[in-house]
Amino acid sequence: MTSRGANHNRPLLEVRDLHVSVGSVEILKGLNLTVNLGEVHAVMGPNGSGKSTLTNALAGKPEYAVTEGKVLYRGKNLLEMLPEERAREGLFLAFQYPVELPGIRVREFLRTALDALREHRGLDKGSLREFNKLLQEKAKELGLDEELVKRSVNEGFSGGEKKRHEILQMAVLDPELALLDETDSGLDIDALKVVADAVNKFRKPDKAILLVTHYQRILNYVTPDFVHVLIDGRIVRSGGRDLALELEAKGYEWIRDAVESGREISV
Amino acid sequence: MVAPKVISRKATTSKDLEKEYKWGFVTPIEPDLAPKGLNEDIVRLISRKKNEPEWLLEWRLKAYRYWTSLKYGEPRWAKVSFPPIDYQDIYYYSSPFKEKRPESLDEVDPELVEAFRKLGIPLEEQKKLTGVAVDAVFDSVSVATTLQKTLEEHGIIFCSVSEAVEKCPELVRKYLGSVVPYTDNFFASLNSAVFSDGTFAYVPPGVRCPVELMTYFRINTEGSGQFERTLIIADKGSYVSYLEGCTAPMRKTHQLHAAVVELIALDDAEIKYSTLQNWYPGDKEGRGGVYNFVTKRGKAAGRNSKVSWTQVETGSAITWKYPSVILQGDNSVGEFYSVALVNNHQQADTGTKMIHLGKNTRSTIIAKGISAGQGSNTYRGLVKIMPSAANARNFTRCDSLLIGDKCAAHTVPYIEVRNPTARMEHEATTSKVSDDQLFYLRQRGITEEQAQYMIINGFCRGVFQELPFEFAMEASQLLKVSLEGAVG
Ligand SMILES: Nc1ncnc2c1ncn2[C@@H]1O[C@H](COP(=O)(O)OP(=O)(O)OP(=O)(O)O)[C@@H](O)[C@H]1O
Ligand SMILES: [Mg+2]
């Protein structure tokens, strides 16, 4: 058991001057972000601005090299932890493009993951029956077919199923900080509501959410505490819920222009 | 069949499994050894030791003479390489019993019982594995066969081949060599001349064998070859599931294992044959290890009969085997499910032959090759549709998984279609464990090493699910041990 829940008055996540390169190309160029428990942050930005780079770097994907800056998670240096350690410490990433795992069934996969997390948290394994019940319940809430948990992870899943399956994992694994990378993309309106409900259910004073999206649509259901605009590897503006609406009305060009002409960039 | 609870062969905790080759111990037993080398006298001696009838000796001698006519010309077409084998430097008969075969387990040397216990195969009646009848073969001789009574009640004969020759000579005489003749190939001829023990099973008409039949093969004596012979006959409308497991001590020298397995399924009968082959693979530098040169063939002789092979090949320095099916009866079915793994310097050239003779015959081939270290892994398969086989179908899928960049995988499928109504499907893939897959699993809290095993296991799933449940568990453990050093 680690210091989960300790350091109450520290932010959950502090990103300071983060620079990340893939290969020889710098993608994040000094990004700052503070997330406290209980908060929902939306990150918006044009294609290729570095949103997924941010979530992947936070989760520790090997090819994303941090060249400068620091990231503290509950006051601890996140960057020196292995990806699996970050996960065990409570960081969860719902992938923008979930990968297929042939022959690994959803049920076994989630059970193995949950066992690893529980062990780290000093809990015992819990019975198989309880697990199956939990899984079934959560799958149902997300409108996923019962049979899906018997299939190979993501293999042959529809786009929407993949996204809902990511949220299913979040619901079962019960992390502390959820990074949702465009989980709303490709969902029809009903599925969007279902996912939003699940996210709202997850939203609690002892959790935090970083929600990457292109559309303010999901923010109608999951009201963010903060909205950040990420352009060209930096957060160029932060604001409240209204910023998303403004963005939707005016497009990114408006912000880009504002930034370039040196007008206010502040929270 | 009502799935019986199968074997728990975990003699050791999974911790012990992390270590190298845990089956590498030697049992201190003074064997009854025939002199090294091979000649007609040795063939006669083996036959005499086993009290065989004249016809069987004659058959052995014919095989021996045929074999000598081949002038040590082993087949060399497989993609494996090994130095010439000195056939005169091998013990062809090694028995743990000095005197005659013991009547009961009480007469068996406790060291032997202990050896099998260590391997997770208790031979004592009171401790026997639930739902499994075991024939335990040590070097050239069957040590004990459990659950005999239960089987007899169903009219099932399950014993060593030597015993079968006494108990039901007419069955042995009728079927021995009927699927794999002694002229079949070099190693089959050798086996026919000197075969030691092996397992015999006969399931009478209409009987579904209520337990799994299992043979556990163990090579112990240094320098001895193992030449077992297995013969399984499923009479009309019967069903039997048979498992074999094999291990050997760690030795610096190579050991030769040249077995022959013949299966016969009559009308509406089904034989399911599963193998976990875990002979000593040699050390990391490729020293020692078993040469596993095996001929396995089943004849789906009757209408609606079925022969199904499932193999998990993780051991041996060299594996050369092609469990095949002759689909003779109309509507008969042949299946081959295989996982072959090579690591370090192991070489495998394995696959199957599906020979379609009957109408509406169907065959399925699922072959998964895993290559790690500097291993070389070849799938070699033949699907042959004869003119008589109207409406034959075959589905073949060969997948290769590469771990590291010094290993090799090859796929050599031969297809021969002589009937235009045949329908053939073939798929082949080669893949690596991808970084994205690993990261996905690690992001959920799973260590990198475990993530690798999960992906490899997932790759094998289509084959493992054909195995009885606990055998499947063991198979994935075996993969893990065999990949030690290549993964993580
Ligand atoms: N693994 C990678 N290899 C090469 N280039 C990469 C890699 N990951 C990201 N990039 C590049 O970094 C830039 C930012 O990509 P990123 O995926 O972070 O954008 P994004 O903001 O998430 O875009 P989108 O809205 O399209 O998802 C892009 O130019 C992309 O091509
Ligand atoms: Mg993205």
Side-chain angles (χ1 to χ4, degrees):
Chain A
M1 176 86 192
T2 50
S3 57
R4 195 172 156 88
N7 294 318
H8 260 302
N9 20 19
R10 292 203 71 119
L12 177 63
L13 180 75
E14 297 169 79
V15 181
R16 294 286 164 262
D17 191 32
L18 184 67
H19 291 252
V20 174
S21 297
V22 180
S24 56
V25 186
E26 179 162 83
I27 295 163
L28 294 187
K29 302 166 181 171
L31 187 141
N32 292 291
L33 183 69
T34 301
V35 177
N36 291 295
L37 284 172
E39 295 175 349
V40 173
H41 292 245
V43 174
M44 305 181 75
N47 291 130
S49 56
K51 302 182 296 297
S52 296
T53 302
L54 173 63
T55 57
N56 278 316
L58 291 176
K61 193 162 194 212
E63 66 259 39
Y64 292 80
V66 174
T67 53
E68 244 183 282
K70 62 178 181 180
V71 180
L72 298 181
Y73 183 79
R74 262 194 265 108
K76 286 197 279 185
N77 182 356
L78 186 74
L79 299 177
E80 61 184 24
M81 297 182 209
L82 295 172
E84 53 269 40
E85 289 168 347
R86 299 180 197 203
R88 290 170 186 198
E89 289 289 318
L91 185 146
F92 176 91
L93 169 58
F95 288 86
Q96 184 178 2
Y97 303 112
V99 63
E100 294 184 359
L101 300 172
I104 305 180
R105 291 185 214 185
V106 170
R107 198 161 50 193
E108 274 91 12
F109 159 63
L110 267 179
R111 169 91 180 164
T112 310
L114 186 59
D115 281 352
L117 297 182
R118 289 180 67 102
E119 193 186 329
H120 183 75
R121 292 171 195 166
L123 303 168
D124 28 306
K125 282 195 170 177
S127 77
L128 185 61
R129 186 199 288 193
E130 272 169 51
F131 170 78
N132 284 335
K133 213 178 117 201
L134 174 75
L135 186 57
Q136 201 176 13
E137 197 179 291
K138 299 290 182 190
K140 201 168 163 193
E141 279 174 19
L142 284 159
L144 285 168
D145 191 273
E146 259 181 62
E147 295 297 304
L148 187 106
V149 300
K150 297 181 195 156
R151 286 165 60 183
S152 295
V153 173
N154 292 321
E155 205 175 41
F157 288 14
S158 75
E161 279 171 344
K162 280 185 183 162
K163 299 291 168 125
R164 278 181 285 167
H165 174 238
E166 292 297 293
I167 296 302
L168 171 67
Q169 296 174 55
M170 179 187 80
V172 170
L173 300 178
D174 194 30
E176 193 165 43
L177 172 63
L179 314 174
L180 310 181
D181 194 351
E182 295 200 25
T183 306
D184 55 331
S185 297
L187 292 180
D188 64 38
I189 189 70
D190 293 339
L192 184 74
K193 279 188 199 151
V194 165
V195 165
D197 281 349
V199 174
N200 282 328
K201 204 167 164 189
F202 174 78
R203 183 176 192 173
K204 289 195 197 97
D206 59 346
K207 309 279 181 194
I209 298 169
L210 188 99
L211 197 155
V212 172
T213 181
H214 279 293
Y215 310 102
Q216 82 84 33
R217 196 174 62 146
I218 187 167
L219 305 180
N220 289 335
Y221 303 100
V222 181
T223 316
D225 299 302
F226 301 94
V227 174
H228 308 277
V229 182
L230 179 57
I231 292 180
D232 196 21
R234 285 189 196 90
I235 289 180
V236 296
R237 179 167 315 191
S238 300
R241 166 87 183 85
D242 296 343
L243 181 55
L245 293 169
E246 209 175 343
L247 266 181
E248 176 129 302
K250 300 185 184 164
Y252 291 112
E253 283 312 306
W254 153 71
I255 292 228
R256 222 191 283 269
D257 295 346
V259 172
E260 269 159 23
S261 62
R263 273 179 283 144
E264 38 78 77
I265 312 163
S266 64
V267 183
Chain B
M1 98 184 258
V2 231
K5 270 316 275 172
V6 199
I7 27 181
S8 175
R9 301 217 283 131
K10 283 210 194 70
T12 40
T13 65
S14 62
K15 238 213 165 112
D16 293 321
L17 275 172
E18 317 278 301
K19 293 197 212 102
E20 257 181 279
Y21 184 77
K22 71 158 177 141
W23 308 266
F25 63 88
V26 178
T27 303
I29 272 213
E30 185 77 22
D32 177 16
L33 271 180
K36 267 188 179 173
L38 186 52
N39 50 50
E40 288 207 6
D41 287 343
I42 290 287
V43 175
R44 284 175 203 281
L45 178 111
I46 292 170
S47 189
R48 196 164 58 242
K49 288 264 185 202
K50 295 183 172 293
N51 275 323
E52 288 177 354
E54 193 57 29
W55 66 264
L56 192 48
L57 173 62
E58 281 310 311
W59 191 74
R60 284 178 181 275
L61 287 171
K62 271 194 274 183
Y64 173 73
R65 287 167 199 147
Y66 180 79
W67 181 75
T68 53
S69 78
L70 298 173
K71 305 220 182 315
Y72 302 117
E74 300 135 350
R76 289 281 173 173
W77 41 261
K79 202 168 175 56
V80 295
S81 66
F82 53 96
I85 296 171
D86 183 353
Y87 290 92
Q88 298 304 341
D89 192 34
I90 292 173
Y91 291 112
Y92 288 86
Y93 183 82
S94 164
S95 163
F97 309 129
K98 282 273 188 223
E99 314 281 305
K100 66 172 184 48
R101 219 186 118 78
E103 294 288 319
S104 77
L105 205 60
D106 303 337
E107 297 170 26
V108 173
D109 188 332
E111 286 281 2
L112 268 179
V113 178
E114 173 62 14
F116 281 99
R117 192 197 59 76
K118 272 203 222 165
L119 296 168
I121 309 288
L123 299 178
E124 300 95 328
E125 276 296 307
Q126 67 277 18
K127 293 188 196 145
K128 66 185 183 285
L129 305 164
T130 35
V132 192
V134 181
D135 185 22
V137 177
F138 195 87
D139 285 347
S140 307
V141 172
S142 167
V143 172
T145 311
T146 66
L147 277 187
Q148 293 270 23
K149 280 217 179 64
T150 320
L151 295 169
E152 273 164 28
E153 283 161 20
H154 290 83
I156 296 163
I157 306 174
F158 179 54
C159 59
S160 70
V161 168
S162 313
E163 275 177 85
V165 172
E166 291 170 29
K167 270 195 203 165
C168 45
E170 62 301 328
L171 277 174
V172 178
R173 195 166 184 177
K174 180 168 177 192
Y175 289 110
L176 187 76
S178 71
V179 187
V180 180
Y182 65 78
T183 50
D184 191 80
N185 70 71
F186 181 86
F187 295 112
S189 308
L190 177 62
N191 173 285
S192 304
V194 302
F195 75 87
S196 37
D197 246 348
T199 302
F200 176 88
Y202 171 77
V203 188
V207 171
R208 287 184 78 78
C209 183
V211 293
E212 306 273 346
L213 302 184
M214 172 175 175
T215 306
Y216 198 92
F217 294 103
R218 174 81 180 160
I219 304 181
N220 190 61
T221 305
E222 179 140 35
S224 71
Q226 191 167 38
F227 306 94
E228 87 266 2
R229 184 121 197 157
T230 297
L231 180 56
I232 298 176
I233 302 145
D235 213 324
K236 291 181 182 172
S238 68
Y239 170 89
V240 61
S241 169
Y242 174 89
L243 319 165
E244 65 175 351
C246 7
T247 56
M250 294 159 78
R251 303 279 197 199
K252 286 241 165 355
T253 52
H254 292 289
Q255 281 178 295
L256 177 62
H257 173 253
V260 171
V261 175
E262 296 177 281
L263 312 180
I264 296 109
L266 302 183
D267 286 357
D268 305 300
E270 177 176 348
I271 301 176
K272 187 170 169 54
Y273 192 107
S274 312
T275 303
L276 280 196
Q277 186 268 104
N278 185 30
W279 296 118
Y280 178 52
D283 67 11
K284 291 200 162 54
E285 276 73 49
R287 281 178 302 234
V290 169
Y291 289 162
N292 189 36
F293 300 147
V294 168
T295 306
K296 291 185 168 177
R297 197 171 304 151
K299 194 189 268 183
R303 283 179 67 84
N304 310 318
S305 57
K306 178 172 172 184
V307 171
S308 178
W309 299 99
T310 305
Q311 62 172 20
V312 177
E313 303 282 321
T314 58
S316 296
I318 300 178
T319 296
W320 178 99
K321 69 179 269 203
Y322 313 89
S324 303
V325 184
I326 299 169
L327 296 99
Q328 188 179 53
D330 289 349
N331 314 325
S332 60
V333 174
E335 293 174 340
F336 175 74
Y337 300 99
S338 169
V339 166
L341 175 149
V342 293
N343 192 10
N344 298 320
H345 292 267
Q346 283 176 277
Q347 309 172 60
D349 191 301
T350 181
T352 184
K353 286 189 272 186
M354 293 289 172
I355 315 292
H356 291 249
L357 299 169
K359 295 189 189 69
N360 309 316
T361 44
R362 279 179 293 135
S363 61
T364 304
I365 299 171
I366 310 281
K368 308 271 180 182
I370 301 168
S371 313
Q374 295 161 65
S376 162
N377 207 337
T378 301
Y379 166 80
R380 187 182 303 278
L382 167 68
V383 180
K384 195 167 181 173
I385 312 288
M386 299 303 275
S388 55
N391 301 314
R393 274 192 287 159
N394 166 263
F395 174 77
T396 299
R397 188 185 169 104
C398 303
D399 296 323
S400 304
L401 185 70
L402 303 174
I403 298 166
D405 48 17
K406 295 201 185 75
C407 55
H410 317 273
T411 303
V412 192
Y414 302 90
I415 298 171
E416 227 183 290
V417 180
R418 300 211 222 139
N419 186 309
T421 59
R423 273 190 293 157
M424 319 284 287
E425 271 179 85
H426 185 96
E427 293 172 9
T429 65
T430 300
S431 55
K432 286 197 161 211
V433 175
S434 87
D435 290 343
D436 284 351
Q437 290 175 325
L438 284 176
F439 182 64
Y440 192 89
L441 289 160
R442 295 177 74 189
Q443 209 306 300
R444 301 306 187 237
I446 296 164
T447 61
E448 182 169 10
E449 195 183 359
Q450 196 179 358
Q452 297 238 26
Y453 288 123
M454 284 176 80
I455 293 167
I456 293 164
N457 253 304
F459 174 76
C460 299
R461 215 187 77 160
V463 174
F464 285 177
Q465 70 190 9
E466 296 297 323
L467 291 167
F469 179 69
E470 295 200 29
F471 238 51
M473 301 281 286
E474 190 159 334
S476 57
Q477 283 291 343
L478 267 183
L479 279 193
K480 195 166 174 190
V481 184
S482 307
L483 283 170
E484 203 76 11
V487 154

